[in-house]
Amino acid sequence: MKYFSSLSFSYYHFISLISPIKVNSIFLFISLLLLATAKVGYAQQATPGTVSGMVTDGTTGEAIPFANVYFQRSPQLATQTSLEGKFTVRRSKLPNDSLLIVSFIGYQSDTITVSTGHDKPLIIKLQSTNTKLKEVVISSGENPAYAIIRRAVANKDRNNPHSLDAYQMESYNRVEVYLNRTEGIKNAKVVKEIKTLMERQPGTNYRDAKGNILIPLTVTESISNNYFLQTPPSNKEEILHTHTTGIGLEEDDAITKLLSGNGFRDYNFYKNRVQILDKWMASPIADGWKFNYEYFLEDSIQLNKEWYYRISVDPRRETDVAFIGTIWVSKQDYGLKKIDLRISPNANINFVETLRIRQETDRDSSGAWFATSQDYEIGLVEASKRFPGLQVKVHTTNQKIVVNQPKPLAFFLESRNYSSSTSVEDENYWLNYRETASDTTTHSQETFALIDSIKQLPIASKYAFWGRTLTTGYVTAGKVDIGHWLYSYAWNNVEGNRFSLGLRTNLDFSKNLFLEGWAAYGGYDKRFKYNLAASYVLSRKNFTTIGIRQRDDTEPIGQLSIGYNASPVLKAFNRWFNLKARNPYAYTESALWIENEIRPGLGTKFTARHLEMQELFPKRMTTEDTGFTPKSFINSSELEVTIRFNPKERSFRTRFNQLKVVGPQPAPTFTVTGIFGLNHILGSTFNYQKLVLNITQKQLSVFGFGTAEYSLQAGYVFSALPYALLKVHQGNNTALYYRNASQNMGLFEFVSDHFIEFHYTHYFNNLILSQIPGIRQLNKTLDWRLLATTNIVWGGIRPENIAYNERTNRHGKTILPFQTLSNVPYVEVGYGVENIFHALRIDFIHRLTYLKNPGISRFGIKISANIKL
């Protein structure tokens, strides 16, 4: 159950915001104690004939990008500061050319006398003009910036690299995560110990632009080759080398792989919408540009003999989740030369204090504009001031760009990103890439050393250990992990007090062989349950694994139904309280499988299994009926074939070989499953065929009017079978909201042998409540967000399955133990509010059909928890 998750934020959760992925944990409360103080150093030597330095805001200390820098007598040698405010300007040989002029719109120009032979870096602080432009009334004509933006939109296809037949480039990527705003925990013991450590290591004092201490938590560098193909649309990233260290992180952690490469951070502003975090934001040059933004032509500048328009960008509505900042547009072909954008200060995004993205681009010989340098910085804050925040810095440098030399399609169908990457710790290897990266971090080597020193502190190791335990649910003991704590105990009216203990091997045992198992015991039923499984990676090129499992347990019939896919939290919750009402079965499974990833986004799985299922509480009949033998014991052998396809999937394998899909889903995921019962195999008494198609998609942008997620499932059972082998539609009799379930349907109300299910949720985000006069101001504080849901289930059961499942009660009446659907589908609609206290969600659900069924609820209120931005 996705929505019933931990309400607490985590270090892993915040790191995952670099790309659109959420990792549920509470590690932040541990990692916030893994602190250090450091010192930012700025060192840059000017080459002969040049002057170097940095331009900052005189009040905030923030770097000022794209400021004009030139000597008074040689303006033709002018330059602009980089994304980080750095510059190197050439000095002419003219006599008395010593007056250096620095200017930027909104700031007072500064003139500095630089003597001949000066070789030390300059720190130039510009003061804001603190003036507002008077209102300008234009009696005729249009805003001159509109004509420029209109041409930039018209030329998007020509300037967009994705319009090329193909391209490839090499990328250097670095991700750094820091803890800041640590005043609330400054007296923690671990903080004091780390400060003592830092006193013995002077010269490492990291601070942000506002002077806040930055505590390095993790840093990752990687070198990757990126490939793009226009037809058919394909892209691939080969991560060649990585270099990672982090407190509480290990080399093969999923989060470590997520931080590597730049495939999840492709910010292409030639697209109509750009996804930042989990928000879709309109590009300043989107097709509907005039609807989203207001523009002001500020200046025109000349760089390398080419002229550019400098245009400021503001959201047209102050509450929109949109950009604010400056773009530089080429006068020659209206390409985007530079971008310096932030989120609007009035855009309510949970826990995001600051967000800034800056790009520098160059025109390729093909005419397309490629981002040669990109910096992305985000400041995240906790819900309470007692907890610190995080600052994430992402830098990417692209070089060696080759266009229109397409690789064959077979190349894109080969192995996944991380299969061939190697870890390189040689500082000399990375030094060259760091020198070409003109960003704020000139001390990467010191960052690695600092984090490694913190990890050696006993108290830091202690907190890192417990942080991983709470995050993963397992306690590491050498080569095995003990857990999961989520399943260790439950109470229900079938098993009573259920106790469970599990073990699994980790990478210290083997990187290819994975063993796991658990044992459980119930106090009421006096029955031992167990699960034993083993899997082995045969090949990592196309990720081929084989596995075997033997399991004996008590399960609700809904969790055994075809097409059912529950989250671990939901499975754990279904162990609690009234398990008898969920129609539990004693369930034994023996399974053997092989799984193969043919290409990224296309995988197959073949499973052979033997099932024995015993209905524990037969429905709508009494066991006292003389001579009555319910059809409640099932002995079946089957072969299952699954094909999963998503042409644009972005995913990676975790350290336990699980596939994790991250980010938005530009295309839906198709899963086709065929199940074939094999009669007379291992005592099986059934011969059947089942076919199920599942289509899912999340974070789907709906014409700029919010986002949506949906699931469409259709299936057909071709044989007469006990209802436990048919489709038991997922209902929900609890007060909690279950995704992909019908909320007001009974837990065991409808069964079908042919069916279609459609579950849809539309998230209006800030579009409705933030626009209604009268509650707009109130919602700035509450930040509630509207949503709408619908669940539609249509199906039926053929006469042969009705006859097979009929039962006779003590009065001699023939009945079915379940309801069936007719030509009228089951329909329910709902509306709700999410983001209450930044976590809670309340849904109001109306059931519209089958209102005469016994024991149903026409209206329900469901509660869930889901942390969203």
Side-chain angles (χ1 to χ4, degrees):
M1 183 181 58
K2 172 184 175 183
Y3 295 103
F4 191 67
S5 59
S6 170
L7 298 184
S8 54
F9 264 167
S10 68
Y11 167 36
Y12 280 88
H13 177 82
F14 280 133
I15 293 177
S16 69
L17 298 180
I18 301 168
S19 66
I21 176 177
K22 294 188 172 74
V23 183
N24 293 324
S25 67
I26 59 172
F27 195 31
L28 175 61
F29 298 103
I30 303 302
S31 64
L32 59 86
L33 299 178
L34 305 179
L35 312 175
T37 56
K39 182 177 183 179
V40 171
Y42 178 75
Q44 182 180 354
Q45 295 296 325
T47 58
T50 64
V51 173
S52 299
M54 186 173 185
V55 180
T56 65
D57 186 299
T59 302
T60 66
E62 291 186 355
I64 299 177
F66 315 133
N68 299 313
V69 183
Y70 60 93
F71 281 95
Q72 186 180 49
R73 298 192 63 190
S74 52
Q76 72 277 8
L77 301 178
T79 187
Q80 283 194 318
T81 55
S82 69
L83 295 173
E84 298 74 33
K86 297 180 183 179
F87 70 87
T88 298
V89 61
R90 290 176 56 194
R91 181 197 295 270
S92 73
K93 297 181 180 180
L94 296 175
N96 301 321
D97 192 11
S98 60
L99 295 181
L100 183 70
I101 299 176
V102 181
S103 64
F104 189 70
I105 190 74
Y107 290 86
Q108 299 176 15
S109 298
D110 197 2
T111 302
I112 304 98
T113 301
V114 183
S115 60
T116 304
H118 184 94
D119 61 355
K120 294 183 178 180
L122 300 173
I123 303 296
I124 302 171
K125 299 180 180 180
L126 297 184
Q127 301 300 320
S128 173
T129 57
N130 291 322
T131 60
K132 295 183 179 179
L133 296 177
K134 296 181 179 180
E135 181 179 3
V136 177
V137 178
I138 301 177
S139 58
S140 63
E142 69 169 351
N143 183 338
Y146 287 2
I148 300 171
I149 296 299
R150 187 178 295 112
R151 288 180 174 86
V153 173
N155 285 275
K156 282 195 304 181
D157 288 344
R158 182 179 67 176
N159 296 323
N160 186 358
H162 287 184
S163 297
L164 298 173
D165 292 337
Y167 68 79
Q168 65 187 64
M169 58 186 176
E170 181 187 78
S171 299
Y172 165 75
N173 311 280
R174 183 170 65 250
V175 181
E176 301 180 16
V177 183
Y178 298 87
L179 210 63
N180 63 3
R181 301 167 63 102
T182 59
E183 295 82 3
I185 55 172
K186 61 183 179 181
N187 294 322
K189 181 180 178 181
V190 65
V191 176
K192 294 179 180 179
E193 288 198 15
I194 293 176
K195 285 184 176 180
T196 301
L197 168 68
M198 300 314 302
E199 288 174 356
R200 299 195 299 266
Q201 297 183 11
T204 52
N205 183 19
Y206 297 69
R207 293 182 182 272
D208 62 14
K210 297 181 180 180
N212 299 317
I213 295 176
L214 296 178
I215 315 305
L217 293 178
T218 182
V219 56
T220 296
E221 294 177 296
S222 63
I223 304 297
S224 62
N225 287 330
N226 292 270
Y227 304 88
F228 170 82
L229 183 65
Q230 175 66 250
T231 306
S234 305
N235 57 72
K236 180 178 180 178
E237 181 179 21
E238 291 180 331
I239 298 181
L240 306 178
H241 303 296
T242 61
H243 186 201
T244 298
T245 188
I247 301 171
L249 292 179
E250 295 183 9
E251 178 182 345
D252 289 322
D253 281 340
I255 195 66
T256 302
K257 293 183 177 180
L258 179 63
L259 295 179
S260 301
N262 69 0
F264 303 120
R265 298 180 288 274
D266 180 18
Y267 304 124
N268 184 351
F269 287 90
Y270 292 102
K271 297 180 180 179
N272 285 329
R273 287 182 291 275
V274 181
Q275 189 179 40
I276 307 291
L277 306 176
D278 65 350
K279 303 294 183 183
W280 287 98
M281 304 173 71
S283 167
I285 58 170
D287 291 340
W289 56 274
K290 192 178 270 190
F291 177 78
N292 298 302
Y293 293 103
E294 185 56 88
Y295 305 85
F296 302 94
L297 178 60
E298 293 183 339
D299 198 1
S300 60
I301 59 175
Q302 186 179 27
L303 295 174
N304 298 324
K305 299 182 180 181
E306 185 171 342
W307 285 91
Y308 300 91
Y309 299 108
R310 185 168 66 198
I311 299 175
S312 68
V313 179
D314 287 306
R316 189 164 290 276
R317 292 163 297 277
E318 64 176 9
T319 56
D320 284 358
V321 180
F323 294 111
I324 184 172
T326 308
I327 60 175
W328 282 254
V329 180
S330 167
K331 186 177 181 180
Q332 177 176 329
D333 58 12
Y334 299 94
L336 294 176
K337 174 62 176 177
K338 296 185 180 182
I339 295 170
D340 183 11
L341 298 174
R342 309 179 303 279
I343 58 169
S344 170
N346 294 316
N348 290 326
I349 303 181
N350 291 339
F351 313 105
V352 177
E353 184 179 41
T354 59
L355 188 153
R356 188 177 188 181
I357 182 168
R358 294 166 290 176
Q359 283 185 354
E360 290 193 28
T361 69
D362 280 333
R363 184 193 298 109
D364 184 78
S365 57
S366 64
W369 289 81
F370 285 88
T372 55
S373 179
Q374 177 174 277
D375 283 273
Y376 170 57
E377 185 173 332
I378 178 172
L380 303 163
V381 295
E382 267 286 1
S384 170
K385 294 182 179 180
R386 297 178 57 189
F387 298 103
L390 287 180
Q391 188 172 56
V392 181
K393 298 181 179 181
V394 183
H395 175 80
T396 299
T397 302
N398 299 316
Q399 57 183 350
K400 300 179 182 179
I401 300 173
V402 179
V403 303
N404 294 331
Q405 296 184 18
K407 296 283 186 180
L409 181 61
F411 171 81
F412 292 88
L413 303 182
E414 294 176 354
S415 60
R416 188 168 296 276
N417 298 358
Y418 306 96
S419 58
S420 61
S421 63
T422 58
S423 178
V424 177
E425 297 185 4
D426 183 5
E427 287 292 330
N428 293 326
Y429 174 82
W430 297 101
L431 186 59
N432 179 57
Y433 289 100
R434 294 171 188 164
E435 289 178 346
T436 60
S438 58
D439 63 335
T440 55
T441 305
T442 58
H443 45 262
S444 294
Q445 182 174 354
E446 291 82 355
T447 305
F448 278 94
L450 176 58
I451 294 176
D452 289 338
S453 296
I454 296 173
K455 290 164 62 176
Q456 300 304 315
L457 289 175
I459 192 168
S461 300
K462 174 184 175 181
Y463 281 116
F465 170 82
W466 286 109
R468 290 191 65 86
T469 299
L470 292 174
T471 301
T472 64
Y474 286 85
V475 177
T476 300
K479 297 182 179 181
V480 298
D481 300 336
I482 304 171
H484 189 291
W485 58 266
L486 190 63
Y487 302 103
S488 60
Y489 174 78
W491 183 92
N492 59 70
N493 57 3
V494 175
E495 300 171 294
N497 293 302
R498 176 187 169 109
F499 299 93
S500 178
L501 178 66
L503 296 174
R504 70 181 186 186
T505 59
N506 54 42
L507 296 182
D508 289 336
F509 176 81
S510 174
K511 290 188 176 182
N512 293 325
L513 178 62
F514 178 58
L515 307 174
E516 66 174 331
W518 53 258
Y521 180 77
Y524 282 3
D525 59 0
K526 309 295 182 183
R527 179 167 170 255
F528 280 101
K529 297 93 174 175
Y530 65 90
N531 176 70
L532 298 173
S535 62
Y536 186 80
V537 179
L538 294 175
S539 171
R540 294 188 179 274
K541 182 177 181 180
N542 293 103
F543 219 94
T544 303
T545 60
I546 59 172
I548 187 171
R549 177 174 57 248
Q550 178 68 34
R551 181 182 176 193
D552 189 311
D553 204 356
T554 299
E555 292 277 12
I557 185 58
Q559 292 188 179
L560 302 176
S561 180
I562 57 174
Y564 182 73
N565 185 18
S567 69
V569 178
L570 175 56
K571 290 181 179 179
F573 186 80
N574 271 339
R575 294 281 181 204
W576 285 85
F577 309 121
N578 193 1
L579 180 60
K580 186 180 295 186
R582 302 183 187 113
N583 197 11
Y585 270 65
Y587 174 79
T588 302
E589 176 193 26
S590 303
L592 175 68
W593 72 86
I594 180 169
E595 182 178 4
N596 174 251
E597 193 172 44
I598 300 174
R599 54 152 291 184
L602 176 61
T604 60
K605 186 175 182 179
F606 299 86
T607 304
R609 66 167 61 90
H610 178 75
L611 303 173
E612 292 184 2
M613 302 166 59
Q614 174 66 53
E615 187 178 16
L616 297 180
F617 302 96
K619 298 298 180 183
R620 296 193 175 187
M621 48 79 65
T622 60
T623 56
E624 291 83 4
D625 290 334
T626 303
F628 182 81
T629 304
K631 302 174 183 179
S632 59
F633 180 78
I634 297 172
N635 188 326
S636 174
S637 297
E638 62 184 29
L639 176 65
E640 179 177 310
V641 181
T642 300
I643 301 175
R644 183 180 178 279
F645 175 65
N646 187 327
K648 298 182 180 181
E649 179 179 274
R650 289 177 172 178
S651 59
F652 57 85
R653 291 279 175 175
T654 69
R655 65 200 310 257
F656 294 102
N657 302 326
Q658 296 176 331
L659 184 68
K660 291 294 183 181
V661 179
V662 297
Q665 293 180 239
T669 299
F670 296 86
T671 305
V672 180
T673 302
I675 304 175
F676 309 93
L678 307 175
N679 198 11
H680 306 306
I681 303 296
L682 300 178
S684 173
T685 58
F686 299 100
N687 182 32
Y688 54 84
Q689 300 83 38
K690 307 177 188 179
L691 183 64
V692 180
L693 168 66
N694 200 2
I695 305 173
T696 62
Q697 192 170 7
K698 298 179 183 179
Q699 296 185 13
L700 172 67
S701 180
V702 185
F703 307 110
F705 196 65
T707 58
E709 64 179 41
Y710 67 87
S711 171
L712 176 64
Q713 186 181 100
Y716 198 95
V717 180
F718 294 88
S719 310
L721 295 171
Y723 72 83
L725 294 178
L726 302 178
K727 173 63 176 180
V728 179
H729 297 288
Q730 182 67 34
N732 179 14
N733 284 352
T734 74
L736 302 176
Y737 187 94
Y738 291 170
R739 186 167 59 89
N740 293 340
S742 297
Q743 308 305 318
N744 286 353
M745 181 187 289
L747 286 172
F748 182 63
E749 185 175 353
F750 294 104
V751 175
S752 301
D753 58 19
H754 56 281
F755 62 91
I756 296 177
E757 285 194 11
F758 180 65
H759 305 280
Y760 180 88
T761 301
H762 190 96
Y763 301 96
F764 293 99
N765 301 323
N766 301 97
L767 291 177
I768 304 298
L769 294 181
S770 297
Q771 308 300 328
I772 301 176
I775 67 172
R776 181 183 302 166
Q777 296 301 319
L778 178 63
N779 199 51
K780 280 186 178 181
T781 302
L782 298 177
D783 196 19
W784 290 2
R785 304 168 187 174
L786 290 181
L787 57 90
T789 61
T790 184
N791 298 297
I792 302 173
V793 181
W794 176 86
I797 190 164
R798 301 189 305 277
E800 57 266 34
N801 269 314
I802 292 178
Y804 196 102
N805 287 279
E806 285 180 335
R807 297 177 176 181
T808 304
N809 65 13
R810 66 175 64 187
H811 305 293
K813 184 179 179 180
T814 300
I815 61 172
L816 283 173
F818 49 81
Q819 300 286 339
T820 62
L821 293 161
S822 62
N823 293 329
V824 177
Y826 173 91
V827 179
E828 64 183 25
V829 296
Y831 47 89
V833 178
E834 64 174 345
N835 206 46
I836 302 172
F837 304 118
H838 300 297
L840 297 180
R841 166 177 163 175
I842 299 178
D843 285 81
F844 304 92
I845 311 295
H846 297 268
R847 176 167 171 162
L848 304 183
T849 57
Y850 296 94
L851 301 180
K852 295 183 179 180
N853 283 5
I856 63 98
S857 297
R858 296 190 176 195
F859 175 75
I861 300 177
K862 306 294 180 179
I863 302 174
S864 56
N866 183 32
I867 297 174
K868 296 180 64 177
L869 294 176

